[in-house]
Amino acid sequence: MTAESVPKGGTRGSRIAAGPRLAIPARILAVGAYRPGRGVANAELSRTLDTSDAWIVKRTGIRRRCAASPGETVVTMGAAAAEKALAAAGRSVDAVDCVVAATMSYTGQSPSAAVQIARELGAKRVGAFDVSAACAGFNYALDVARSLIAGGSARHVLVVASERMSDLIDPGDRTTAVIFSDGAGAALVGAYGEPGIGPMTWGSDGSLAGVAGQDLTWAHFRDTPGCRGPYFRMRGPELYRWAISEMPAVALRAVDAAGLDLADLAAFVPHQANLRMIEAIADRLGLPGHVVVARDVEDQGNTSAASIPLAISRLKEECAVASGAPALLLGFGAGVAYGAQVIRLP
């Protein structure tokens, strides 16, 4: 070992090489969506629940939701959405360095959904892990992808949000059965010449855990003979009041962090919880009339973490907003956990 090869103040191996100080901008290059083929209209639900099409539309704005078949799993739906995102971006799976899956309904626990999605795609030697932040999961996973690219750990990250909420919902519970749905959305995030994903504003409040979440743990199910599996329960009116009172300020902080004003936005893509909530938050924000508000929930239902990428995909399909236009994303839900950022649409 020569004197020149020894770092000042120690011997080789005593320090971690810092590498170049990187802050590589990232952007969503493309999105992909997977919607199960079976649609469940309100009239079908009214045959087994004390409800009606008029009641559901008035309170939620939902007319239809998707129901996965036995073969449409969190993994297969997520992989199908990811394949569409890769195709839209003109990239092969070999370009992917990491897969980040956002899901609250994957019941396999281990190995992670992300690892299995990577396997389905044929991706090898890639990082893969899950993010659990319920309906804010896509926002969290997107910021993780941005950070991985900014730090030089990856050039392309697949963010896959996939939910099979039908596995968690009590079919006899009118509060949740009329709202939740199945589906997957994916975004390929890549290094780009200028920033396309703004700073994240986020938070959580565990004191509101009882407002939306599983009513039993899997351990309780395991240890209690004859016990049913955990169901996702929700106190809708409380969640509604919390969301419309707290989320506008979170959204405004994200716009400010991006160095923009509301007038600069082209679209608002909130978590597709229900239409009443979306419209109430948009109204309290005071969005200018030219801002397109995503309303994918009307025909898709609430797909938790998958709702935002699915809504972005529909805006793209309908050519409602131009590529490169700024859009405000806002996720919030069980936990409660929430997050927002401004992106440039792919």
Side-chain angles (χ1 to χ4, degrees):
M1 181 182 293
T2 65
E4 289 77 14
S5 65
V6 181
K8 272 189 176 180
T11 60
R12 181 183 291 276
S14 64
R15 294 184 182 179
I16 296 174
R21 294 190 177 184
L22 302 173
I24 301 169
R27 178 174 169 172
I28 297 178
L29 304 179
V31 292
Y34 182 86
R35 305 176 193 269
R38 179 170 176 260
V40 179
N42 293 341
E44 182 176 338
L45 293 178
S46 67
R47 292 198 288 267
T48 56
L49 294 170
D50 179 19
T51 189
S52 67
D53 176 68
W55 188 92
I56 296 171
V57 171
K58 180 179 179 180
R59 286 161 178 78
T60 71
I62 299 170
R63 300 181 182 277
R64 177 186 180 278
R65 73 279 303 142
C66 290
S69 67
E72 293 173 312
T73 68
V74 166
V75 171
T76 62
M77 291 191 295
E83 287 177 339
K84 291 181 179 180
L86 286 168
R91 303 292 200 279
S92 75
V93 70
D94 295 334
V96 176
D97 300 304
C98 186
V99 177
V100 183
T103 180
M104 65 170 287
S105 57
Y106 176 62
T107 57
Q109 302 298 309
S110 180
S112 70
V115 165
Q116 296 186 76
I117 289 170
R119 180 203 64 207
E120 288 281 322
L121 294 171
K124 298 178 180 178
R125 295 180 295 278
V126 300
F129 57 94
D130 293 356
V131 169
S132 178
C135 304
F138 180 76
N139 304 78
Y140 278 54
L142 186 60
D143 198 60
V144 169
R146 180 195 62 80
S147 299
L148 288 171
I149 291 168
S153 295
R155 292 285 294 176
H156 292 93
V157 179
L158 260 176
V159 175
V160 183
S162 185
E163 301 283 19
R164 189 180 154 107
M165 295 300 292
S166 55
D167 285 338
L168 300 183
I169 300 306
D170 178 356
D173 179 8
R174 183 177 67 170
T175 302
T176 56
V178 303
I179 292 175
F180 289 98
S181 181
D182 303 331
L188 180 65
V189 181
Y192 202 73
E194 58 186 26
I197 302 173
M200 178 89 157
T201 60
W202 57 1
S204 64
D205 186 350
S207 69
L208 297 174
V211 173
Q214 285 185 198
D215 60 355
L216 296 173
T217 66
W218 288 106
H220 181 88
F221 171 66
R222 177 197 65 202
D223 298 337
T224 308
C227 178
R228 61 164 175 78
Y231 284 135
F232 182 85
R233 303 291 187 187
M234 184 172 65
R235 301 203 295 265
E238 287 181 59
L239 187 61
Y240 177 87
R241 289 191 294 271
W242 170 82
I244 65 172
S245 64
E246 300 294 331
M247 289 303 97
V250 173
L252 288 171
R253 289 201 300 273
V255 175
D256 184 63
L260 300 175
D261 297 318
L262 288 175
D264 297 317
L265 298 175
F268 175 45
V269 190
H271 163 50
Q272 303 290 288
N274 74 56
L275 192 59
R276 284 182 61 211
M277 192 179 293
I278 290 169
E279 291 176 340
I281 293 173
D283 183 64
R284 293 201 175 197
L285 276 172
L287 293 172
H290 70 269
V291 178
V292 175
V293 179
R295 291 179 168 84
D296 189 52
V297 68
E298 293 177 296
D299 295 312
Q300 173 65 45
N302 180 336
T303 49
S304 189
S307 78
I308 288 178
L310 282 169
I312 294 172
S313 182
R314 190 180 293 274
L315 290 179
K316 294 287 295 178
E317 292 164 6
E318 296 176 348
C319 300
V321 188
S323 176
L328 169 62
L329 311 185
L330 174 65
F332 52 88
V336 293
Y338 54 87
Q341 66 262 88
V342 175
I343 66 162
R344 294 281 177 183
L345 289 168

